[in-house]
Amino acid sequence: MSPTTGEPLRSASSIVANTTTGYHILKIDGYSFTMATPTGQCLDSHPFTLGGHRWFIRYYPNGNTSEFKDYISIFLYLDGIVGKEVKARFQFRLGEQQAMTLEEVRTFASSRGLGHSKFVKREELEKSTHLKGDSFTMRCDIVVVNEFRTKEQTAVGDPPRFVSVPPSSLHHHLGDLLLAEKGADVVFDVGGQTFAAHRCVLAARSPVFSAELFGTMKESNTNTAGVIHVDDMEAQVFKALLYFVYTDSLPKTKNTEEEDEEEDVMSQHLLVAADRYNLERLKLLCEEKLCKYIDVGTVATILTLAEQHHCEGLKKACLYFLNTPANLRTAMATDGFKHLSRSCPTIMEELITMLIT
């Protein structure tokens, strides 16, 4: 029997680089004063984090060597463990606009910076519009190569696809189910406002709801009418929590200044609720949002919240902010910081340790 002949089997794959993209703006405020820095000596930027690594920029006002004394030299450094190497692409440019092209992938080590000895001639900078009020800014765009992975691809010559599968709409359907209250079999009373929901959905999403509705906590906080009372929580917070349970996302908000302030407060309350009902993803989403609202007026309150509810990422973001002396001095004058020192004494110990190391 002769072997069957026909088209050979085809397959294809690709090697893809997982990358993290970001940038750092360095402002030189008081340019004329930096000119007193001798050739070969530098001023370093504040460290910043990108792609899981710490970096800093080294600024030489009068060049990094005597050969380049008429130029400003600028270099990007990896701030980390000696011997560690990171692959990345980068580009410096004057101003805050994104660089159109980046240099080729280079390997950074903690002991060696990469950049430009002849970044810009001082005479040209001083005649340009970039220097305003004795200050100028520069931007460093960075693409960090994290790792390489492989993925399957459609082989060249494969027949066209005639069926297109849309993304899942399950979250939309469940959100509509919550809104319509169709088939709801449990009612919650929160601050005098009632919410109808579905026991199975709640129990599937939260172990606390599961215990409350089907387990050891069943009916411990239910009145004779079968309504479950939720204490120590605002109605709007519980409404947002239910929305997440059904849709795995947060309610949409507008981007006005007033809405931002409300989102800050809501995220704090919602984080507490997420911790109460063991909704880890919701808790992390709130942590991520609160990181954007850290400033000298809020950092103490947010840090207290992070410590009390075991939010390690949010706590690190607050401590990173307070690592700047000016931020710490201003924050220490707030009422929130006084409350922090009373309610979380271990945090004060960590701050002292951080400042002396």
Side-chain angles (χ1 to χ4, degrees), residues 82-195:
V82 174
K84 183 178 183 180
E85 292 187 344
V86 176
K87 295 186 182 299
R89 300 174 66 189
F90 71 100
Q91 185 61 277
F92 285 101
R93 65 171 295 160
L94 289 170
E96 298 185 14
Q97 296 299 312
Q98 182 177 1
M100 299 303 293
T101 58
L102 302 184
E103 294 192 1
E104 62 184 21
V105 175
R106 309 282 293 275
T107 299
F108 284 82
S110 57
S111 59
R112 181 169 61 93
L114 297 173
H116 307 286
S117 295
K118 299 168 66 174
F119 175 59
V120 62
K121 203 165 188 177
R122 285 197 309 280
E123 182 182 358
E124 294 177 0
L125 172 66
E126 290 164 7
K127 291 179 179 178
S128 74
T129 57
H130 292 292
L131 185 63
K132 297 177 181 178
D134 202 31
S135 70
F136 72 96
T137 57
M138 62 185 87
R139 168 172 169 152
C140 181
D141 286 273
I142 310 171
V143 178
V144 178
V145 181
N146 301 317
E147 62 180 0
F148 292 93
R149 60 183 174 85
T150 59
K151 69 176 184 178
E152 187 178 0
Q153 280 195 320
T154 303
V156 177
D158 275 2
R161 293 184 179 181
F162 296 102
V163 178
S164 177
V165 180
S168 172
S169 57
L170 177 62
H171 58 293
H172 291 304
H173 293 307
L174 289 177
D176 291 342
L177 185 68
L178 174 65
L179 189 63
E181 301 182 0
K182 186 177 181 180
D185 56 0
V186 63
V187 175
F188 294 90
D189 185 317
V190 188
Q193 188 171 341
T194 57
F195 300 91

Side-chain angles (χ1 to χ4, degrees), residues 173-351:
H173 293 307
L174 289 177
D176 291 342
L177 185 68
L178 174 65
L179 189 63
E181 301 182 0
K182 186 177 181 180
D185 56 0
V186 63
V187 175
F188 294 90
D189 185 317
V190 188
Q193 188 171 341
T194 57
F195 300 91
H198 306 79
R199 293 172 182 267
C200 289
V201 175
L202 301 178
R205 296 281 281 152
S206 161
V208 177
F209 274 129
S210 181
E212 189 175 82
L213 299 170
F214 296 106
T216 55
M217 295 168 59
K218 183 179 179 182
E219 297 180 356
S220 61
N221 54 352
T222 306
N223 64 17
T224 54
V227 177
I228 297 177
H229 283 271
V230 178
D231 299 320
D232 303 321
M233 189 180 301
E234 295 180 5
Q236 286 301 107
V237 175
F238 190 77
K239 182 178 180 181
L241 181 139
L242 282 182
Y243 184 89
F244 172 83
V245 166
Y246 279 75
T247 67
D248 206 41
S249 61
L250 295 173
K252 296 288 187 291
T253 58
K254 298 176 183 177
N255 292 323
T256 65
E257 185 175 338
E258 184 179 348
E259 288 284 351
D260 282 346
E261 185 176 345
E262 290 178 2
E263 185 181 59
D264 173 17
V265 176
M266 171 61 81
S267 295
Q268 293 183 39
H269 290 304
L270 198 51
L271 185 148
V272 175
D275 192 36
R276 174 174 173 176
Y277 286 99
N278 200 7
L279 293 165
E280 190 60 27
R281 175 173 154 77
L282 176 58
K283 186 177 172 183
L284 290 171
L285 285 172
C286 293
E287 284 190 61
E288 184 182 45
K289 280 187 174 292
L290 286 171
C291 284
K292 298 186 302 182
Y293 293 105
I294 294 173
D295 58 34
V296 291
T298 64
V299 64
T301 301
I302 293 175
L303 183 53
T304 303
L305 193 70
E307 178 70 3
Q308 292 174 343
H309 294 277
H310 313 289
C311 306
E312 288 304 313
L314 184 58
K315 177 180 174 180
K316 288 178 182 178
C318 291
L319 292 177
Y320 180 82
F321 178 82
L322 291 173
N323 196 35
T324 301
N327 292 343
L328 179 60
R329 283 195 301 270
T330 308
M332 287 178 68
T334 64
D335 292 335
F337 204 88
K338 296 172 186 174
H339 174 68
L340 171 66
S341 61
R342 291 193 302 268
S343 59
C344 304
T346 56
I347 285 291
M348 303 309 295
E349 294 175 7
E350 288 186 50
L351 279 172

